[in-house]
Amino acid sequence: EKVSLRDIRTIIETLLEYAPKTQNPGELTAMVRIALSQAIVQTLAAPEKDLSVLVFDPKLENMIIQSNQGQEPVNVAIEPNLATTMMNKMSQEADRLLSLGQKPVLLVQDFLRPAIARLMRKAAPELTILSHSEVPESKKVSVLAVVK
């Protein structure tokens, strides 16, 4: 997912810290991504600039979360027609931002990040999917568009 492995020390330290608590690869991956959040965001926005993002309409996001309560984030299911619509809209938005010279970034709730990243990998490979926990507190975020 375009995350550099250069900071292997942070990766190993994070795995050592969380491996005794969980063996779930999805949860461990999420913890590593959070630990590397500074480096991930640096590739998307200069330190002095806001992180420009796309977001889903809150109603859409909540509908997906509510329909998957009790599921592991890796197993989130999205109704096929809705998934197709989301992929088409996100692909269009990503292409629009690329044509403007901007890096397309979609900011989603933590629970949804693994499933949305998997879903968008083919539809919009240039799109980076971040969870809220992966954005450092010191980084300002500006919303470019709300995808419905």
Side-chain angles (χ1 to χ4, degrees), residues 11-137:
I11 294 168
I12 291 172
E13 286 175 355
T14 305
L15 291 173
L16 287 172
E17 180 180 348
Y18 290 98
K21 300 171 188 166
T22 182
Q23 299 298 307
N24 182 312
E27 290 178 32
L28 292 171
T29 299
M31 293 298 115
V32 168
R33 287 182 60 91
I34 291 168
L36 296 173
S37 63
Q38 210 51 51
I40 293 170
V41 170
Q42 275 184 342
T43 67
L44 304 170
E48 69 281 353
K49 295 199 176 199
D50 289 0
L51 175 63
S52 300
V53 299
L54 303 168
V55 295
F56 285 128
D57 178 72
K59 289 178 186 177
L60 172 63
E61 216 170 33
N62 288 332
M63 180 182 70
I64 297 168
I65 290 171
Q66 287 175 355
S67 68
N68 284 280
Q69 283 186 325
Q71 294 288 335
E72 290 287 321
V74 176
N75 298 326
V76 168
I78 301 172
E79 192 270 323
N81 290 333
L82 177 59
T84 300
T85 301
M86 288 170 49
M87 287 188 305
N88 290 338
K89 287 182 179 181
M90 288 311 306
S91 180
Q92 291 170 358
E93 282 296 326
D95 289 343
R96 183 181 70 81
L97 291 176
L98 285 170
S99 72
L100 297 172
Q102 294 182 314
K103 293 180 180 178
V105 178
L106 175 63
L107 185 62
V108 298
Q109 292 190 29
D110 296 11
F111 177 78
L112 295 178
R113 201 207 72 74
I116 298 297
R118 242 187 0 264
L119 181 66
M120 297 299 165
R121 195 171 293 139
K122 290 182 181 174
E126 63 285 337
L127 181 67
T128 300
I129 315 295
L130 291 180
S131 71
H132 292 278
S133 295
E134 294 171 347
V135 178
E137 288 182 25

